[in-house]
Amino acid sequence: MDSEKRRMTGAEAVIRSLEAEGVTDVFGLPGGAILPLYDAWASCEHTIRHYLVRHEQGAGHMAQGYARATGKVGVAIATSGPGATNLVTPIADAYLDSTPIVCITGQVPTHLIGTDAFQEADIQGITMPVVKHSWLVDRVEDIPRVVKEAFHIARSGRPGPVLIDIPKDLQLAELEFSYPKQVDIPGYKPSRHGHPKQVITAAEAILAAERPVFYVGGGAVSANVDPADLIRVAESVQMPVITTLMAKGVFPDSHPLCIGLPGMHGSKAANWAMNRSDLLIACGSRFDDRVTGKLDAFAPGARVIHMDIDPAEIDKNRAAQIPIVGSLELVVPKLAEAVQSRMNGGPPKAAEWLRTVQGWKQEHPFRYRNTEPLKPEYVIERLRDLTADRDVIWTTGVGQHQMWAAQYLRIDRPRRWLTSGGLGTMGFGVPAAIGAKVGRPDATVINIDGDGCFQMTMQELATAKMYGIDAIHVVVNNGWLGMVRQWQELFHGERYSETLLESSSPDYVKLAESFGLAGFRCETVAEVDAAITGALECGGPCVIDAQVDHEEKVYPMVPAGASSAEMLDVEWAEDDNAWVEEGV
């Protein structure tokens, strides 16, 4: 990085600024208003690798997958107009899931802004509700400062997406480049340490509780909380731990205190424990409606400790009696220390409570009937078991397959589970897997997708082929928009309106082969292991078409608007050995 001022174009200044932030990989697609940046990409020496995508939505989700797998800031680039608007979905997804990404868009030349020029779009205005901050650069000299501020804002406090919109003429204009060493943003100073007295109050409340539940959310992953600190807090008082969909892995699924996923398709033990608790220790969790169900009926007898970096989350959905605003990476170890230092050495007060909850966990595991046609749960279990000796990063789309994967995968480390939780974006899985593999080439990356989700972004297989990004894409193919079909069956009198895909879907093996990838298919239990083993051994990006029972549903299920304790489930004979009991 040059330490002295040097004259260059605004486009080159963008590249030099990205280098100064340590960026090594970006995802994007060129177009007219961003051409000067791409021209500089080809004409000047730099250290950044660019991945050409097939759709700007793919670039955004790849940046998300990269960010969430590595903890770094992901970068996506697009042109003006439709290129920029195609980024809106991943920007909104990153906003709701607190993912740090920087999106750089080209804009029409300054003098044409506001004239409805070709491919003009007010992307700053369009994305205003779903970015942490945004800039429309109006002076070429501002580019280095804006990039510096963008990365600082994206990664600090509650992480999130930021947008930099740069008019074409400013990319061509020249400046004396000097990258700032520090940022000075008045009014933006996230509180990091948490109030010491509140931490002590929280520790005393935990020790006094008879039915505490540790409710860990995705904020713990974003904050890089050390799992050992979470374990110290939980083990000190031997309390049950619930990890939300976004938090899967930050507290080990295999730990005896973990009772898994709460909410609409969560475990009975998790939902019953939250409903009957007298103290919820919310750690980077936001009381999402998919967790709480009917909010007024959620955990009616519980006091709440709420720890979060974002003060706007406190009291948003559920009042907190003990709020702690600060970085969880710093607050959780302080809480662990405070709890341990105040223990008197006697048996945990909540011991009987833990026995009750673990009894629920043992008596009511996730289960399915392992018969033909092939069950999706079985495919996911075999994926889990046949990769048990590998460091696997899992991505998913959104729908039934996402919930089965959350129920049946066992993940013991953070940043190994990447899914779209807040926005629920179908099409997230394929590009997120590609981004994750770029960021973590040493890991095995497996995308579990539904056939509906896969068809939304499957064109990015071309990106995977182009760069040899060897993620495995497993299409849990039931021929339907499965989760919508499940709702139509249960709540709309089996009127399956516009959810059948089977007759018009491609042959996924031939599709993979058309991209130059390997394709595998399994239709029976006997074929599953061979398909997975073949994919693991093929040494490149590939697709598994797992053709599964289209009538299989995700249970248990909390109907929309019901209390989290009111779960639907199927009935089974106690002596029916065909049932498989797995998951948390």
Side-chain angles (χ1 to χ4, degrees):
M1 179 63 208
D2 296 340
S3 58
E4 297 181 355
K5 289 186 177 181
R6 187 162 70 84
R7 196 153 186 84
M8 63 181 67
T9 65
E12 187 179 350
V14 172
I15 296 172
R16 299 296 171 219
S17 299
L18 293 176
E19 282 186 312
E21 289 298 326
V23 174
T24 56
D25 304 280
V26 302
F27 309 91
L29 189 70
I34 199 72
L35 269 184
L37 177 58
Y38 275 89
D39 188 58
W41 218 277
S43 60
C44 70
E45 293 185 1
H46 59 81
T47 57
I48 302 171
R49 185 165 192 185
H50 180 278
Y51 293 85
L52 174 63
V53 302
R54 296 303 188 267
H55 191 286
E56 292 85 354
Q57 182 184 356
H61 291 320
M62 288 178 203
Q64 285 184 274
Y66 180 93
R68 287 170 58 180
T70 65
K72 302 176 183 176
V73 178
V75 179
I77 299 174
T79 189
S80 60
T85 56
N86 284 342
L87 276 178
V88 172
T89 294
I91 289 173
D93 193 284
Y95 185 75
L96 286 179
D97 285 346
S98 304
T99 306
I101 61 172
V102 171
C103 295
I104 299 172
T105 51
Q107 183 54 275
V108 301
T110 307
H111 71 280
L112 291 179
I113 292 176
T115 67
D116 292 340
F118 177 67
Q119 292 196 336
E120 181 187 3
D122 178 10
I123 191 62
Q124 188 187 29
I126 290 169
T127 57
M128 191 69 74
V130 290
V131 292
K132 198 173 172 189
H133 197 65
S134 62
W135 296 260
L136 171 59
V137 178
D138 58 7
R139 295 190 329 137
V140 66
E141 295 82 3
D142 291 341
I143 288 176
R145 173 185 60 79
V146 166
V147 173
K148 180 76 175 178
E149 291 179 355
F151 276 80
H152 175 70
I153 291 174
R155 67 164 69 98
S156 61
R158 178 176 184 166
V162 299
L163 172 78
I164 306 172
D165 197 27
I166 310 176
K168 185 174 184 178
D169 56 317
L170 298 188
Q171 298 171 47
L172 293 166
E174 293 190 346
L175 74 158
E176 293 287 339
F177 180 81
S178 176
Y179 201 66
K181 294 181 179 177
Q182 296 179 327
V183 295
D184 181 17
I185 308 173
Y188 181 72
K189 299 193 184 308
S191 177
R192 299 191 65 236
H193 295 281
H195 198 290
K197 288 187 178 178
Q198 289 294 85
V199 173
I200 292 171
T201 302
E204 292 172 345
I206 291 171
L207 291 169
E210 296 183 353
R211 301 184 305 280
V213 170
F214 206 179
Y215 166 30
V216 183
V221 180
S222 300
N224 291 316
V225 172
D226 187 340
D229 289 325
L230 294 171
I231 293 171
R232 283 173 62 202
V233 175
E235 289 185 343
S236 294
V237 291
Q238 289 293 297
M239 64 179 161
V241 180
I242 287 165
T243 49
T244 68
L245 181 69
M246 298 304 293
K248 193 170 176 65
V250 72
F251 191 96
D253 278 342
S254 60
H255 193 285
L257 293 177
C258 185
I259 56 172
L261 184 73
M264 180 169 282
H265 294 294
S267 72
K268 292 180 179 178
N271 281 329
W272 289 344
M274 295 185 88
N275 193 261
R276 291 160 174 77
S277 69
D278 65 353
L279 181 69
L280 287 178
I281 303 103
C283 178
S285 40
R286 55 194 177 93
F287 295 90
D288 178 80
D289 67 288
R290 284 296 191 266
V291 169
T292 65
K294 185 180 180 183
L295 190 58
D296 292 345
F298 175 69
R303 301 176 72 220
V304 171
I305 299 169
H306 197 166
M307 302 177 282
D308 205 292
I309 186 70
D310 185 356
E313 284 299 323
I314 307 296
D315 292 341
K316 186 179 77 176
N317 293 329
R318 175 67 183 258
Q321 284 69 46
I322 307 174
I324 305 175
V325 177
S327 171
L328 300 177
E329 183 183 23
L330 302 176
V331 170
V332 173
K334 292 176 183 175
L335 179 64
E337 184 178 343
V339 169
Q340 290 181 325
S341 67
R342 283 162 176 76
M343 296 186 69
N344 59 17
K349 199 168 184 178
E352 180 59 32
W353 165 243
L354 180 63
R355 280 192 288 274
T356 299
V357 173
Q358 290 186 324
W360 293 335
K361 175 182 172 181
Q362 185 173 6
E363 294 166 12
H364 302 279
F366 295 122
R367 61 177 68 185
Y368 68 97
R369 191 181 180 90
N370 192 20
T371 56
E372 302 288 354
L374 179 61
K375 294 297 183 287
E377 298 96 325
Y378 180 77
V379 175
I380 292 167
E381 283 185 323
R382 294 309 295 159
L383 283 164
R384 178 196 67 199
D385 295 343
L386 292 174
T387 59
D389 60 345
R390 295 173 178 243
D391 183 7
V392 182
I393 297 174
W394 303 90
T395 70
T396 77
V398 169
Q400 286 180 313
H401 65 280
Q402 177 191 31
M403 295 297 109
W404 285 315
Q407 291 178 343
Y408 289 92
L409 292 180
R410 194 168 294 124
I411 300 174
D412 287 341
R413 289 186 284 178
R415 300 196 181 279
R416 268 69 176 182
W417 167 255
L418 316 181
T419 195
S420 173
L423 197 63
T425 303
M426 295 176 67
F428 176 86
V430 172
I434 292 172
K437 185 66 179 179
V438 170
R440 285 286 316 280
D442 57 315
T444 298
V445 177
I446 301 177
N447 169 41
I448 297 177
D449 231 333
D451 45 332
C453 288
F454 186 70
Q455 291 187 46
M456 289 192 173
T457 51
M458 63 186 180
Q459 75 277 5
E460 298 304 342
L461 293 178
T463 305
K465 170 62 179 177
M466 186 172 181
Y467 300 101
I469 303 170
D470 61 344
I472 298 170
H473 302 275
V474 183
V475 183
V476 180
N477 178 9
N478 60 12
W480 290 76
L481 297 174
M483 188 61 88
V484 185
R485 183 189 191 280
Q486 177 167 332
W487 282 53
Q488 289 174 333
E489 179 175 341
L490 296 177
F491 309 119
H492 295 274
E494 300 186 5
R495 292 182 294 280
Y496 301 120
S497 175
E498 303 299 332
T499 45
L500 177 61
L501 300 174
E502 187 177 28
S503 61
S504 56
S505 290
D507 180 319
Y508 294 110
V509 171
K510 290 182 178 177
L511 179 81
E513 292 171 350
S514 74
F515 281 107
L517 312 182
F520 305 87
R521 179 174 289 120
C522 52
E523 301 178 52
T524 66
V525 166
E527 296 171 342
V528 171
D529 282 13
I532 295 172
T533 303
L536 290 168
E537 294 177 349
C538 81
C542 62
V543 175
I544 298 175
D545 176 16
Q547 298 193 357
V548 300
D549 183 359
H550 73 269
E551 293 188 348
E552 187 71 1
K553 290 179 279 296
V554 186
Y555 286 118
M557 178 180 188
V558 178
S563 158
S564 60
E566 300 173 297
M567 288 169 280
L568 301 177
D569 203 350
V570 291
E571 295 183 356
W572 55 86
E574 291 297 332
D575 59 350
D576 190 342
N577 293 327
W579 285 103
V580 176
E581 298 181 357
E582 284 288 0
V584 176

